[in-house]
């Protein structure tokens, strides 16, 4: 067990006999006694040794007892001080007590019992004060710890709300996409049958039929990429992104999943600025607000949703966002539905408040939306339309300029090849055949392989024959095996990865992978990617 330090008492008195007799009484009880002949010596000893109790005379040379009490004003509420004086009257006793003395004894002390009683009472009170202080500090630590735990739990709850909200939107998207993609496939099927019929009749296919197939396929490609981008990012990825690009991507999903009888009108400024955050959060805001408008328009005649994204050069007082280095960007979603009663407008963002019928809403959509808007340092405003319906404004402080495009994007390379030999690793026979046909059309010599294993065999058999490897997004191990085979064979051929993943590539991809492109790939994107990699000097692997 740790050794306990003896109680230390500092006796400050100019009378040596008083110091000696007081010290003898205290030492007999096991106390450690320090002695000083005046207030200045006592102050130095107190600062050096920090005693547990002081016994102070009032009348002393150099520094008297009242001045010593004044110098100890910052600690006297925790360290007991007993004043013992043979001179002075009631006035000095009152002054000493006002300066913080715990008790006042009068010389001569006729019995050690009187001194011991005063000392014990003072030490007991000091111990009680210390216990109370320790108990208070312990409670404060517990409260702080509990507060941190509650803040962490609240943050996790908010993240769960965001994920649940996102999953709800994904469910809506899935229902709407089935209808939209059936229309796309119908158009492709009908146009392809028309082209086949004209070819069977010995006639040239109608250019409009071919253009229609490409047009609807591009529409499907755009919709798929937008949905995969939104649904694939379940974790926050903060970056500086252009508002217009995020809004166009969200609008693509909204148009593809909103019932066709509801008109969607959209107007976007060409340069509404940029934000720092997760672009999916901004898209989630627009989808939440549009989804609410769709529900509000149920049963309405001529239902219409108007979406605008405006950059305001002169900030209106009611929309003001205080940030001198930013411009005000306002995203507005307005509908011509029945609207919301005035008394309900202030409650729209309250958790679990909803105007939807029972079992059709949780009341968390706008609550989560407001949380997201606040993370972007913005404001959310609601107002009734004069002609009916509701208008929601998302006011955001945006950076004036969007991120600039890279030099490569500004000046893409030529897409035609010069007879380079390309190993095509693709398991789907239809995709493999189409890819090889496109490569031949672009001026390359394709070498097909139906699996990474066959690709490795081709590399080992003819390493000097390959100029580039075009491989599907298989597991990380298979891609690394293919790259290792190239290195083992001494080949300098770069690798282009074709990925169906919304995140466009592996988390940690081999150094030999020159570029990652996403499926479905069009002729121009494929050609530009290949020329980019083939025109670069070979890397030392």
């Amino acid at each position: 067990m740790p050794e306990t330090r003896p109680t230390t008492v500092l006796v400050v008195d100019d009378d040596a006999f008083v110091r000696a007799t007081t010290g003898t009484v205290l030492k007999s009880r096991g106390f450690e006694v320090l002695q000083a002949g005046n207030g200045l010596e006592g102050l130095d000893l107190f600062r050096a040794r920090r005693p547990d109790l002081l016994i102070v005379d009032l009348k002393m040379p150099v520094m008297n007892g009242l001045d010593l009490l004044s110098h100890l004003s910052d600690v006297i509420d925790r360290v007991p001080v007993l004043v013992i004086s043979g001179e002075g009257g009631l006035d000095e006793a009152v002054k000493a007590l006002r300066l913080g003395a715990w008790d006042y004894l009068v010389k001569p002390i006729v019995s050690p019992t009187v001194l011991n009683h005063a000392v014990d009472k003072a030490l007991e009170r000091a111990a009680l004060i210390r216990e109370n202080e320790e108990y208070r500090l312990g409670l404060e630590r517990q409260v702080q710890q509990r507060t941190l735990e509650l803040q962490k739990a609240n943050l996790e709850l908010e993240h769960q709300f965001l994920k649940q909200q996102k999953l709800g939107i994904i469910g809506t998207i899935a229902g709407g996409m089935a209808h939209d993609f059936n229309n796309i496939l119908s158009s492709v099927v009908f146009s392809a049958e028309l082209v086949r019929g004209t070819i069977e009749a010995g006639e040239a296919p109608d250019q409009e039929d071919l253009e229609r197939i490409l047009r609807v396929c591009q529409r499907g490609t755009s919709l798929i990429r937008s949905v995969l981008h939104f649904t694939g990012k379940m974790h926050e990825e903060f970056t500086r992104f252009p508002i217009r690009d995020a809004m166009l991507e969200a609008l693509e999903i909204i148009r593809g999943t909103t019932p066709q009888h509801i008109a969607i009108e959209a107007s976007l400024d060409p340069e509404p600025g940029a934000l720092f955050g997760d672009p999916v959060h901004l898209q989630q805001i627009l989808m939440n607000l549009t989804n609410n408008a769709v529900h509000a328009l149920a049963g309405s005649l001529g239902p219409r949703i108007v979406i605008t994204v405006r950059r305001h050069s002169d900030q209106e007082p009611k929309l003001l966002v205080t940030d001198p280095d930013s411009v005000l960007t306002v995203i507005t979603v307005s509908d011509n539905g029945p609207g919301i009663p005035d008394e309900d407008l202030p409650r729209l963002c309250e958790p679990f408040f909803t105007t939807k019928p029972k079992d059709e809403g949780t009341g968390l959509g706008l609550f989560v939306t407001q949380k997201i808007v606040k993370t972007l340092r913005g404001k959310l405003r609601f107002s009734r339309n004069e002609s009916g319906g509701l208008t929601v404004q998302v006011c955001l402080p945006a950076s004036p300029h969007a991120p600039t495009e890279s030099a490569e994007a500004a000046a893409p390379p030529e897409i035609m090849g010069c007879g380079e030999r390309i190993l095509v690793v693709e398991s789907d026979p239809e995709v493999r055949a189409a890819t090889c046909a496109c490569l031949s059309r672009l001026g390359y010599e394709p070498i097909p392989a139906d699996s990474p294993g066959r690709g490795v065999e081709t590399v080992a058999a003819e390493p000097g024959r390959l100029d580039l490897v075009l491989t599907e997004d298989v597991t990380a191990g298979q891609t690394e095996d293919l790259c290792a085979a190239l290195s083992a064979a001494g080949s300098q051929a770069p690798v282009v990865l074709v990925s169906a993943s919304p995140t466009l590539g592996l988390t940690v991809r081999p150094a030999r992978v020159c570029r990652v492109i996403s499926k479905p790939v069009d002729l121009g994107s494929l050609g530009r990617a290949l020329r980019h990699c083939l025109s670069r000097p070979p890397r030392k692997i």
Side-chain angles (χ1 to χ4, degrees):
M1 294 181 64
E3 295 182 2
T4 57
R5 182 177 66 86
T7 301
T8 305
V9 180
L10 172 61
V11 180
V12 185
D13 199 304
D14 61 335
D15 189 324
F17 177 75
V18 172
R19 293 199 305 271
T21 55
T22 304
T24 301
V25 171
L26 296 174
K27 287 178 181 177
S28 67
R29 298 188 57 193
F31 295 157
E32 179 184 356
V33 179
L34 308 173
Q35 297 184 18
N38 58 62
L40 186 59
E41 291 179 6
L43 183 61
D44 291 340
L45 264 176
F46 179 86
R47 288 172 175 169
R49 298 291 301 274
R50 292 288 177 175
D52 301 300
L53 183 140
L54 277 79
I55 298 176
V56 179
D57 187 19
L58 288 183
K59 298 293 184 178
M60 294 181 293
V62 184
M63 179 187 290
N64 62 36
L66 292 177
D67 290 339
L68 176 59
L69 292 178
S70 297
H71 281 84
L72 298 176
S73 60
D74 57 333
V75 296
I76 207 167
D77 58 334
R78 298 185 300 277
V79 179
V81 178
L82 305 181
V83 171
I84 302 178
S85 181
E87 300 181 20
L90 184 61
D91 290 343
E92 285 192 334
V94 170
K95 287 180 182 178
L97 292 172
R98 284 179 175 174
L99 286 171
W102 289 34
D103 204 348
Y104 187 92
L105 303 177
V106 179
K107 293 180 181 179
I109 299 175
V110 296
S111 170
T113 305
V114 175
L115 177 62
N116 286 330
H117 176 73
V119 169
D120 289 342
K121 186 172 68 172
L123 290 175
E124 286 175 7
R125 180 184 168 194
L128 183 61
I129 290 173
R130 285 195 302 272
E131 288 177 8
N132 287 338
E133 180 69 10
E134 291 173 0
Y135 183 69
R136 182 185 64 81
L137 291 174
L139 281 178
E140 287 182 358
R141 284 192 292 269
Q142 290 180 25
V143 169
Q144 289 173 354
Q145 179 66 26
R146 185 59 180 156
T147 301
L148 289 174
E149 291 173 358
L150 288 173
Q151 288 174 344
K152 183 179 179 182
N154 187 50
L155 190 61
E156 290 176 355
L157 254 172
E158 288 184 10
H159 281 292
Q160 288 299 320
F161 279 153
L162 286 173
K163 288 185 178 180
Q164 291 298 324
Q165 253 263 314
K166 191 171 180 180
L167 290 172
I169 293 173
I170 292 171
T172 303
I173 289 171
M177 281 184 65
H179 179 270
D180 202 59
F181 269 97
N182 279 333
N183 287 339
I184 290 173
L185 291 173
S186 296
S187 181
V188 171
V189 170
F190 289 151
S191 299
E193 287 179 344
L194 289 172
V195 169
R196 184 174 62 181
T198 55
I199 292 175
E200 287 176 351
E203 302 173 4
D206 190 330
Q207 188 65 26
E208 177 58 29
D209 292 334
L210 297 174
E211 291 292 341
R212 187 183 306 109
I213 292 173
L214 287 175
R215 196 162 53 245
V216 296
C217 286
Q218 288 168 355
R219 178 183 168 196
T221 297
S222 177
L223 183 57
I224 287 173
R225 286 180 177 169
S226 297
V227 172
L228 286 178
H229 180 261
F230 180 77
T231 59
K233 291 171 60 178
M234 293 304 288
H235 301 285
E236 293 177 339
E237 296 181 9
F238 288 92
T239 184
R240 186 166 174 264
F241 65 93
I243 294 174
R244 182 180 174 85
D245 290 355
M247 291 293 92
L248 287 173
E249 195 172 74
L251 282 169
E252 188 73 27
I253 300 175
I254 290 167
R255 285 197 172 103
T257 56
T258 301
Q260 285 192 333
H261 70 282
I262 298 178
I264 302 287
E265 300 175 10
S267 175
L268 281 71
D269 267 357
E271 293 185 10
L275 291 175
F276 180 80
D278 189 341
V280 170
H281 283 177
L282 187 63
Q283 294 169 345
Q284 192 168 352
I285 290 171
L286 185 61
M287 290 188 207
N288 281 350
L289 299 180
T290 306
N291 191 44
N292 281 350
V294 169
H295 280 281
L297 290 170
S300 299
L301 295 175
R304 186 178 79 258
I305 298 174
V306 179
I307 300 171
T308 62
V309 180
R310 291 281 179 269
R311 173 173 167 172
H312 291 247
S313 55
D314 297 325
Q315 295 189 0
E316 303 174 35
K318 63 180 181 180
L319 303 179
L320 181 65
V321 175
T322 306
D323 191 335
D325 299 324
S326 298
V327 296
L328 175 66
T329 298
V330 180
I331 301 168
T332 304
V333 178
S334 183
D335 65 73
N336 62 344
I340 302 291
D342 289 335
E343 60 270 19
D344 287 342
L345 288 178
R347 302 188 59 199
L348 288 178
C349 291
E350 291 180 8
F352 306 110
F353 175 80
T354 179
T355 58
K356 297 175 184 176
K358 191 177 181 180
D359 300 328
E360 287 189 18
T362 62
L364 293 174
L366 288 176
F367 171 73
V368 173
T369 299
Q370 186 183 52
K371 289 281 186 183
I372 300 174
V373 172
K374 286 182 178 179
T375 65
L376 296 172
R377 301 181 299 125
K379 298 178 182 178
L380 196 60
R381 297 184 68 254
F382 302 90
S383 59
R384 284 173 53 86
N385 301 332
E386 293 182 2
S387 57
L390 182 70
T391 293
V392 186
Q393 291 177 310
V394 182
C395 311
L396 300 169
S399 174
H401 305 292
T404 56
E405 294 184 354
S406 65
E408 179 190 333
E414 296 294 329
I415 67 171
M416 296 304 294
C418 301
E420 292 94 340
R421 294 172 293 273
I422 296 179
L423 173 63
V424 180
V425 181
E426 173 59 60
S427 58
D428 188 294
E430 300 290 347
V431 176
R432 187 170 63 251
T435 302
C436 290
C438 287
L439 290 175
S440 297
R441 174 75 178 273
L442 289 169
Y444 296 102
E445 180 185 338
I447 303 170
D450 60 7
S451 68
R454 289 289 178 85
V456 170
E457 292 175 4
T458 302
V459 170
E462 301 177 276
R465 191 182 172 198
L466 301 177
D467 295 298
L468 184 141
V469 176
L470 181 69
T471 177
E472 64 180 325
D473 185 8
V474 290
T475 62
Q478 289 177 307
T479 304
E480 289 171 354
D481 289 345
L482 189 58
C483 292
L486 289 167
S487 298
S491 173
Q492 296 295 318
V495 176
V496 174
L497 192 66
V498 184
S499 173
S501 167
T503 54
L504 294 182
L506 306 171
T507 305
V508 179
R509 67 186 194 223
R512 188 182 286 271
V513 174
C514 172
R515 191 137 177 180
V516 182
I517 54 179
S518 61
K519 290 181 179 180
V521 187
D522 59 61
L523 203 63
S525 298
L526 179 62
R528 283 189 290 272
L530 297 179
R531 290 314 317 158
H532 167 77
C533 292
L534 289 169
S535 61
R536 295 173 64 181
R539 295 180 59 180
K540 293 182 179 181
I541 308 299

Tab-separated table of all heavy atoms in Angstrom, residues 76-104:
chain	number	residue	atom	x	y	z
A	76	ILE	N	-6.985	30.075	0.229
A	76	ILE	CA	-7.420	30.015	1.621
A	76	ILE	C	-8.776	29.333	1.787
A	76	ILE	O	-9.128	28.887	2.880
A	76	ILE	CB	-7.461	31.449	2.213
A	76	ILE	CG1	-7.251	31.387	3.731
A	76	ILE	CG2	-8.732	32.179	1.841
A	76	ILE	CD1	-6.971	32.744	4.357
A	77	ASP	N	-9.557	29.233	0.705
A	77	ASP	CA	-10.846	28.548	0.812
A	77	ASP	C	-10.679	27.033	0.871
A	77	ASP	O	-11.597	26.309	1.243
A	77	ASP	CB	-11.750	28.922	-0.363
A	77	ASP	CG	-11.117	28.582	-1.707
A	77	ASP	OD1	-9.876	28.541	-1.776
A	77	ASP	OD2	-11.873	28.377	-2.682
A	78	ARG	N	-9.472	26.524	0.509
A	78	ARG	CA	-9.229	25.077	0.539
A	78	ARG	C	-8.239	24.662	1.629
A	78	ARG	O	-8.215	23.508	2.026
A	78	ARG	CB	-8.709	24.610	-0.828
A	78	ARG	CG	-9.681	24.825	-1.966
A	78	ARG	CD	-9.170	24.233	-3.268
A	78	ARG	NE	-7.903	24.813	-3.699
A	78	ARG	CZ	-7.794	25.958	-4.362
A	78	ARG	NH1	-8.875	26.674	-4.648
A	78	ARG	NH2	-6.613	26.418	-4.723
A	79	VAL	N	-7.372	25.595	2.064
A	79	VAL	CA	-6.378	25.309	3.101
A	79	VAL	C	-6.816	26.007	4.388
A	79	VAL	O	-6.925	27.236	4.433
A	79	VAL	CB	-4.978	25.797	2.674
A	79	VAL	CG1	-3.969	25.510	3.786
A	79	VAL	CG2	-4.550	25.133	1.388
A	80	PRO	N	-7.088	25.248	5.459
A	80	PRO	CA	-7.568	25.879	6.706
A	80	PRO	C	-6.502	26.763	7.351
A	80	PRO	O	-5.321	26.395	7.394
A	80	PRO	CB	-7.924	24.690	7.588
A	80	PRO	CG	-7.163	23.540	7.032
A	80	PRO	CD	-7.011	23.781	5.574
A	81	VAL	N	-6.938	27.929	7.831
A	81	VAL	CA	-6.055	28.878	8.510
A	81	VAL	C	-6.680	29.223	9.870
A	81	VAL	O	-7.829	29.686	9.930
A	81	VAL	CB	-5.853	30.155	7.683
A	81	VAL	CG1	-4.970	31.143	8.455
A	81	VAL	CG2	-5.237	29.833	6.334
A	82	LEU	N	-5.919	28.988	10.951
A	82	LEU	CA	-6.349	29.358	12.301
A	82	LEU	C	-5.557	30.586	12.735
A	82	LEU	O	-4.312	30.588	12.646
A	82	LEU	CB	-6.102	28.213	13.286
A	82	LEU	CG	-6.724	26.844	12.953
A	82	LEU	CD1	-6.398	25.844	14.058
A	82	LEU	CD2	-8.222	26.965	12.768
A	83	VAL	N	-6.263	31.619	13.153
A	83	VAL	CA	-5.614	32.835	13.632
A	83	VAL	C	-5.565	32.792	15.154
A	83	VAL	O	-6.598	32.577	15.809
A	83	VAL	CB	-6.365	34.091	13.138
A	83	VAL	CG1	-5.805	35.339	13.822
A	83	VAL	CG2	-6.238	34.213	11.628
A	84	ILE	N	-4.368	32.985	15.731
A	84	ILE	CA	-4.175	33.018	17.185
A	84	ILE	C	-3.499	34.345	17.518
A	84	ILE	O	-2.401	34.637	17.013
A	84	ILE	CB	-3.309	31.849	17.677
A	84	ILE	CG1	-3.946	30.505	17.273
A	84	ILE	CG2	-3.123	31.912	19.188
A	84	ILE	CD1	-3.140	29.308	17.683
A	85	SER	N	-4.173	35.149	18.336
A	85	SER	CA	-3.612	36.462	18.629
A	85	SER	C	-3.875	36.836	20.078
A	85	SER	O	-4.957	36.582	20.618
A	85	SER	CB	-4.223	37.525	17.717
A	85	SER	OG	-3.662	38.796	17.996
A	86	GLY	N	-2.861	37.456	20.708
A	86	GLY	CA	-3.020	37.909	22.078
A	86	GLY	C	-3.349	39.371	22.151
A	86	GLY	O	-3.614	39.899	23.229
A	87	GLU	N	-3.265	40.057	21.048
A	87	GLU	CA	-3.555	41.479	21.013
A	87	GLU	C	-4.665	41.736	20.005
A	87	GLU	O	-4.938	40.932	19.123
A	87	GLU	CB	-2.307	42.273	20.622
A	87	GLU	CG	-1.152	42.080	21.592
A	87	GLU	CD	0.058	42.891	21.183
A	87	GLU	OE1	-0.120	43.855	20.406
A	87	GLU	OE2	1.159	42.549	21.609
A	88	GLY	N	-5.242	42.911	20.042
A	88	GLY	CA	-6.301	43.242	19.107
A	88	GLY	C	-7.643	42.818	19.639
A	88	GLY	O	-7.760	41.970	20.523
A	89	GLY	N	-8.648	43.407	19.113
A	89	GLY	CA	-9.982	43.119	19.605
A	89	GLY	C	-10.862	42.504	18.539
A	89	GLY	O	-10.395	41.813	17.620
A	90	LEU	N	-12.148	42.824	18.691
A	90	LEU	CA	-13.144	42.230	17.799
A	90	LEU	C	-12.959	42.664	16.353
A	90	LEU	O	-13.172	41.879	15.437
A	90	LEU	CB	-14.547	42.622	18.292
A	90	LEU	CG	-15.728	42.022	17.533
A	90	LEU	CD1	-15.701	40.501	17.624
A	90	LEU	CD2	-17.041	42.576	18.091
A	91	ASP	N	-12.534	43.914	16.133
A	91	ASP	CA	-12.360	44.405	14.756
A	91	ASP	C	-11.348	43.580	13.980
A	91	ASP	O	-11.562	43.213	12.822
A	91	ASP	CB	-11.926	45.872	14.774
A	91	ASP	CG	-13.040	46.805	15.231
A	91	ASP	OD1	-14.208	46.342	15.208
A	91	ASP	OD2	-12.753	47.959	15.582
A	92	GLU	N	-10.208	43.276	14.618
A	92	GLU	CA	-9.184	42.482	13.935
A	92	GLU	C	-9.663	41.053	13.688
A	92	GLU	O	-9.340	40.435	12.677
A	92	GLU	CB	-7.897	42.478	14.746
A	92	GLU	CG	-7.129	43.793	14.649
A	92	GLU	CD	-5.732	43.685	15.217
A	92	GLU	OE1	-5.528	42.823	16.097
A	92	GLU	OE2	-4.855	44.433	14.773
A	93	ALA	N	-10.422	40.516	14.633
A	93	ALA	CA	-10.959	39.158	14.441
A	93	ALA	C	-11.895	39.125	13.242
A	93	ALA	O	-11.851	38.190	12.416
A	93	ALA	CB	-11.694	38.706	15.700
A	94	VAL	N	-12.757	40.155	13.118
A	94	VAL	CA	-13.689	40.225	11.977
A	94	VAL	C	-12.920	40.356	10.670
A	94	VAL	O	-13.246	39.714	9.669
A	94	VAL	CB	-14.681	41.386	12.171
A	94	VAL	CG1	-15.488	41.610	10.893
A	94	VAL	CG2	-15.604	41.118	13.342
A	95	LYS	N	-11.842	41.208	10.679
A	95	LYS	CA	-11.041	41.364	9.455
A	95	LYS	C	-10.414	40.035	9.046
A	95	LYS	O	-10.379	39.668	7.858
A	95	LYS	CB	-9.947	42.400	9.686
A	95	LYS	CG	-10.454	43.830	9.748
A	95	LYS	CD	-9.272	44.788	9.985
A	95	LYS	CE	-9.754	46.231	10.102
A	95	LYS	NZ	-8.639	47.174	10.379
A	96	ALA	N	-9.891	39.306	10.033
A	96	ALA	CA	-9.252	38.018	9.735
A	96	ALA	C	-10.255	37.026	9.154
A	96	ALA	O	-9.954	36.305	8.190
A	96	ALA	CB	-8.600	37.453	10.997
A	97	LEU	N	-11.442	36.988	9.729
A	97	LEU	CA	-12.466	36.055	9.227
A	97	LEU	C	-12.928	36.455	7.829
A	97	LEU	O	-13.190	35.604	6.979
A	97	LEU	CB	-13.647	36.005	10.196
A	97	LEU	CG	-13.346	35.368	11.565
A	97	LEU	CD1	-14.530	35.537	12.515
A	97	LEU	CD2	-13.007	33.888	11.411
A	98	ARG	N	-13.027	37.767	7.569
A	98	ARG	CA	-13.418	38.219	6.235
A	98	ARG	C	-12.348	37.888	5.195
A	98	ARG	O	-12.660	37.669	4.022
A	98	ARG	CB	-13.677	39.721	6.251
A	98	ARG	CG	-15.013	40.090	6.895
A	98	ARG	CD	-15.217	41.591	6.916
A	98	ARG	NE	-16.540	41.926	7.421
A	98	ARG	CZ	-16.958	43.166	7.665
A	98	ARG	NH1	-16.140	44.212	7.453
A	98	ARG	NH2	-18.177	43.383	8.132
A	99	LEU	N	-11.087	37.890	5.622
A	99	LEU	CA	-10.002	37.531	4.702
A	99	LEU	C	-9.885	36.024	4.493
A	99	LEU	O	-9.053	35.574	3.704
A	99	LEU	CB	-8.670	38.069	5.230
A	99	LEU	CG	-8.487	39.587	5.089
A	99	LEU	CD1	-7.234	40.034	5.842
A	99	LEU	CD2	-8.407	39.992	3.625
A	100	GLY	N	-10.702	35.238	5.198
A	100	GLY	CA	-10.735	33.803	4.933
A	100	GLY	C	-10.303	32.915	6.067
A	100	GLY	O	-10.235	31.688	5.905
A	101	ALA	N	-9.946	33.484	7.212
A	101	ALA	CA	-9.551	32.633	8.337
A	101	ALA	C	-10.702	31.717	8.735
A	101	ALA	O	-11.864	32.115	8.722
A	101	ALA	CB	-9.141	33.507	9.523
A	102	TRP	N	-10.357	30.484	9.109
A	102	TRP	CA	-11.392	29.504	9.421
A	102	TRP	C	-11.815	29.572	10.896
A	102	TRP	O	-12.914	29.164	11.229
A	102	TRP	CB	-10.878	28.093	9.107
A	102	TRP	CG	-10.746	27.815	7.626
A	102	TRP	CD1	-10.401	28.687	6.657
A	102	TRP	CD2	-10.941	26.560	6.979
A	102	TRP	NE1	-10.352	28.094	5.431
A	102	TRP	CE2	-10.689	26.750	5.593
A	102	TRP	CE3	-11.278	25.288	7.423
A	102	TRP	CZ2	-10.778	25.743	4.662
A	102	TRP	CZ3	-11.367	24.266	6.485
A	102	TRP	CH2	-11.130	24.487	5.123
A	103	ASP	N	-10.918	30.055	11.761
A	103	ASP	CA	-11.245	30.131	13.199
A	103	ASP	C	-10.333	31.180	13.836
A	103	ASP	O	-9.287	31.544	13.260
A	103	ASP	CB	-11.050	28.768	13.874
A	103	ASP	CG	-11.900	28.635	15.144
A	103	ASP	OD1	-12.445	29.675	15.605
A	103	ASP	OD2	-12.022	27.500	15.635
A	104	TYR	N	-10.715	31.638	15.012
A	104	TYR	CA	-9.955	32.692	15.704
A	104	TYR	C	-9.815	32.296	17.178
A	104	TYR	O	-10.824	32.095	17.867
A	104	TYR	CB	-10.698	34.030	15.583
A	104	TYR	CG	-9.918	35.216	16.106
A	104	TYR	CD1	-9.116	35.966	15.260
A	104	TYR	CD2	-10.005	35.583	17.447
A	104	TYR	CE1	-8.412	37.064	15.728
A	104	TYR	CE2	-9.291	36.674	17.931
A	104	TYR	CZ	-8.498	37.414	17.062
A	104	TYR	OH	-7.793	38.498	17.538
